[in-house]
């Protein structure tokens, strides 16, 4: 089916829904590299006008990636909840935008609607929205998950403590963990990106975090961000696995390049749940995504990168994960060229994930060869905080010395808590008070002899 729009004396035609979505996307380097971006701002506006008139139901009839060729498409369409979709089934994309911005779209109605939306629907409506629209709607969404603490409650902000080390040195990792906990960071997860993927090294890191957590009775969860097959093997060998991590994308082909299938993720999810290590819940999966991953694997099927990113959330939703993290600027300027594109992509990702019912976080980051700086990250950090993001990343000094990219620091989390009055996960906040790290309001206390964690510093 062709989609058209006439502006002035010029008629624009878009051959299919995939092409229309790509041309309607805000400008970004990845779509230009793929040859799917609009050739001009006028063409982009024409695509948006045409997209606004497309019925939402059309996305159930015309797949961006063919159903017969792609298991992600099959999962999205086969799991679609028609009853949940019913309240908006008669709307166009433009009318859906208007409804989302209205008072009728509150937290309860958005939560009920989520299973009825497909990733392509939410990607489409995001392309019609200004940044403030993305923030307003996302701020109304509530997605609560649980393992050893409760994440996503209103007025709360969690932080992943990321104590990476270029040689996986236990003392270096322990020092970063101590540093982060003394800043009140770590309620989302203590998650290590390992320098090596050998199973003995992975097991050593898992035991390091778990022994630390048990010694100080920290109400959080641990994760070593290795390939899902390594985590399954670690479970089989009795390692203390809390969360299963995996990078995923929006097509079967990109997931194949990651070495994963839905069946493999099913196996990992079942194995981790059967361990029963959560104390307040059993959300056990941790996914990371990023715009451009499908293009970098030549697995994009001619679709734009933002639509494919939303499709990755459609896969993630199957597993009711504890955490989903868009590593927004990590893949590089080939896909998101500068601070403006990174900021827009971060807001889009958070909006789309939340609207689909996912517990979204963001690694607010950039690589050193991108046209971006820490001021851009401050802007995105603040905007996502206003939008109600579930969690962000905490890296010592905002500079990850193992992955060699720039992220957000422990101090950045303190800034966001102060200016937006965001508190930590309640169980973690109570622990900080018991440990003499923070008071009952969540405010950090001066370091002193009453803090048991400080005894560890002398042994490092």
């Amino acid at each position: 089916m062709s989609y058209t729009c006439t502006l002035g004396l010029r008629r624009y035609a878009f051959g299919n829904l995939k092409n229309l979505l790509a041309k309607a996307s805000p400008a970004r380097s990845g779509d230009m590299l793929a040859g799917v971006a609009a050739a001009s701002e006028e063409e982009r506006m024409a695509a948006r006008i045409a997209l606004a008139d497309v019925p939402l139901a059309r996305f159930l009839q015309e797949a961006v990636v063919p159903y017969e060729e792609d298991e992600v498409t099959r999962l999205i369409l086969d799991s679609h909840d028609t009853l949940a979709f019913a309240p908006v089934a008669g709307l166009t994309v433009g009318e859906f935008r208007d409804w989302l911005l209205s008072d009728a779209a509150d937290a309860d109605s958005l939560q009920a609607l989520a299973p009825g939306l497909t990733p392509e629907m939410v990607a489409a409506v995001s392309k019609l929205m200004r940044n403030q629209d993305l923030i307003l709607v996302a701020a109304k969404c509530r997605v609560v998950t649980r393992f050893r603490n409760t994440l996503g409650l209103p007025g709360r902000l969690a932080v992943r403590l990321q104590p990476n080390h270029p040689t996986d040195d236990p003392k270096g990792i322990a020092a970063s963990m101590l540093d982060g906990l003394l800043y009140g960071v770590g309620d989302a997860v203590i998650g290590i990106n390992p320098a090596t993927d050998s199973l003995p090294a992975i097991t050593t890191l898992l035991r390091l975090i778990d022994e630390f957590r048990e010694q100080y009775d920290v109400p959080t969860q641990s994760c070593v961000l290795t390939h899902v097959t390594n985590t399954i093997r670690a479970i089989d060998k009795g390692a203390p696995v809390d969360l299963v991590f995996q990078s995923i994308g929006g097509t079967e082909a990109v997931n194949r390049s990651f070495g994963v299938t839905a069946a493999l993720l099913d196996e990992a999810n079942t194995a981790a749940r059967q361990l029963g290590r959560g104390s307040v819940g059993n959300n056990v999966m941790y996914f990371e995504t990023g715009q451009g991953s499908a293009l970098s694997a030549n697995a994009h099927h001619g679709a734009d990168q933002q639509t494919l990113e939303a499709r990755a959330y459609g896969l993630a939703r199957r597993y009711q994960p504890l955490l989903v993290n868009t590593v927004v600027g990590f893949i590089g300027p080939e896909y998101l060229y500068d601070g403006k594109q990174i900021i827009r992509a971060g807001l889009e990702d958070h909006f789309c994930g939340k609207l689909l019912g996912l517990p979204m976080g963001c690694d607010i980051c950039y690589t050193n060869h991108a046209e971006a700086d820490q001021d851009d990250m401050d802007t995105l950090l603040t905007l996502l905080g206003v939008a109600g993001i579930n969690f962000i990343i905490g890296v010592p000094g905002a500079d990850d010395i193992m992955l060699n990219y720039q992220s957000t620091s422990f101090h950045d989390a303190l800034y966001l808590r102060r200016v937006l009055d965001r508190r930590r996960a309640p169980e973690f906040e109570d622990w900080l008070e018991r440990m003499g790290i923070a008071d009952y309001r969540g405010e950090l206390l001066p370091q002193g002899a009453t803090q048991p964690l400080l005894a560890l510093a002398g042994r490092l």
Side-chain angles (χ1 to χ4, degrees):
M1 178 176 177
S2 180
Y3 303 87
T4 63
C5 175
T6 300
L7 289 180
L9 300 177
R10 184 163 185 179
R11 180 176 180 271
Y12 290 90
F14 309 95
N16 52 44
L17 198 53
K18 174 172 64 179
N19 179 250
L20 179 64
L21 288 167
K23 301 299 186 185
S25 274
R28 60 205 54 193
S29 52
D31 290 340
M32 297 173 191
L33 181 65
V36 302
S40 66
E41 287 301 319
E42 183 173 282
E43 184 182 26
R44 182 170 291 111
M45 183 55 65
R48 290 175 179 169
I49 292 171
L51 181 60
D53 290 335
V54 175
L56 287 179
R58 183 65 195 166
F59 293 91
L60 301 174
Q61 302 160 0
E62 183 180 345
V64 169
V65 182
Y67 183 94
E68 299 77 15
E69 299 177 16
D70 188 86
E71 76 168 359
V72 177
T73 300
R74 292 192 291 273
L75 286 172
I76 290 168
L77 293 178
D78 292 349
S79 64
H80 180 253
D81 188 330
T82 55
L83 290 178
F85 181 55
V88 298
L91 302 182
T92 65
V93 176
E95 291 167 341
F96 183 44
R97 173 190 177 274
D98 293 343
W99 181 82
L100 288 171
L101 294 171
S102 74
D103 291 338
D106 57 17
D108 291 339
S109 62
L110 290 172
Q111 183 178 26
L113 178 64
L117 298 176
T118 69
E120 291 85 353
M121 291 175 191
V122 301
V125 76
S126 76
K127 298 175 193 296
L128 305 185
M129 289 184 156
R130 296 168 56 187
N131 287 358
Q132 68 172 240
D133 299 338
L134 299 174
I135 293 168
L136 174 62
V137 176
K140 295 193 283 187
C141 297
R142 293 283 178 263
V143 184
V144 178
T145 56
R146 297 174 174 87
F147 190 76
R148 285 199 190 90
N149 57 31
T150 307
L151 304 173
L153 294 171
R156 303 279 175 168
L157 170 73
V159 183
R160 170 189 163 188
L161 175 47
Q162 184 168 302
N164 295 345
H165 192 278
T167 63
D168 290 339
D169 177 66
K171 287 189 175 181
I173 290 171
S176 292
M177 287 168 55
L178 173 63
D179 189 24
L181 289 168
L182 289 172
Y183 276 104
V185 164
D187 46 350
V189 63
I190 300 176
I192 302 172
N193 296 91
T196 175
D197 268 338
S198 75
L199 187 59
I202 298 305
T203 303
T204 296
L205 293 177
L206 285 167
R207 296 195 186 284
L208 168 67
I209 308 176
D210 200 58
E211 290 169 3
F212 183 96
R213 182 191 61 76
E214 287 194 332
Q215 180 178 353
Y216 294 98
D217 195 26
V218 190
T220 190
Q221 35 283 331
S222 64
C223 186
V224 174
L225 282 68
T226 186
H227 193 270
V228 63
T229 53
N230 280 337
T231 304
I232 292 173
R233 291 163 61 202
I235 291 173
D236 290 342
K237 291 185 175 296
V241 172
D242 288 347
L243 305 185
V244 176
F245 167 81
Q246 184 55 49
S247 294
I248 59 171
T251 69
E252 179 180 344
V254 70
N255 288 320
R256 195 183 308 122
S257 77
F258 291 150
V260 297
T261 62
L264 182 60
L265 296 174
D266 289 348
E267 178 186 351
N269 184 47
T270 298
R273 284 177 179 266
Q274 288 177 345
L275 295 176
R277 289 174 58 84
S279 57
V280 298
N282 207 22
N283 300 113
V284 298
M285 301 298 282
Y286 175 14
F287 294 116
E288 286 192 346
T289 66
Q291 289 193 28
S293 60
L295 177 58
S296 68
N298 194 28
H300 59 102
H301 293 268
D304 70 273
Q305 64 186 38
Q306 189 260 333
T307 298
L308 294 181
E309 173 73 3
R311 282 170 52 90
Y313 305 152
L315 174 61
R317 182 167 60 175
R318 173 182 177 89
Y319 302 97
Q320 299 178 314
L322 182 78
L323 307 165
V324 178
N325 182 35
T326 168
V327 192
V328 67
F330 183 74
I331 302 181
E334 300 85 357
Y335 308 98
L336 296 170
Y337 178 72
D338 56 15
K340 180 180 177 65
Q341 292 186 12
I342 292 171
I343 289 168
R344 173 70 190 192
L347 295 176
E348 289 170 346
D349 294 351
H350 179 248
F351 164 87
C352 289
K354 279 289 187 66
L355 205 53
L356 289 168
L358 288 175
M360 290 302 297
C362 184
D363 191 345
I364 300 161
C365 63
Y366 64 100
T367 57
N368 289 317
H369 60 310
E371 291 296 320
D373 58 28
Q374 211 63 40
D375 284 338
D376 295 315
M377 299 306 102
D378 287 350
T379 299
L380 180 54
L381 172 70
T382 306
L383 295 175
L384 286 172
V386 174
I389 196 163
N390 279 33
F391 71 99
I392 61 171
I393 306 298
V395 178
D399 184 5
D400 192 301
I401 59 174
M402 195 280 282
L403 292 173
N404 293 310
Y405 78 114
Q406 310 305 310
S407 184
T408 45
S409 70
F410 308 149
H411 300 81
D412 293 328
L414 292 177
Y415 148 75
L416 204 58
R417 295 192 193 287
R418 179 63 60 86
V419 298
L420 297 179
D421 192 25
R422 295 288 191 267
R423 301 185 70 156
R424 301 167 182 87
E427 300 89 346
F428 191 79
E429 194 169 75
D430 292 344
W431 177 80
L432 291 174
E433 185 178 357
R434 293 197 306 271
M435 296 293 287
I437 297 172
D439 62 20
Y440 70 96
R441 301 165 299 174
E443 295 289 333
L444 294 182
L445 297 171
Q447 293 184 9
T450 59
Q451 295 178 344
L453 280 183
L454 287 179
L456 175 63
R459 300 198 298 272
L460 292 177

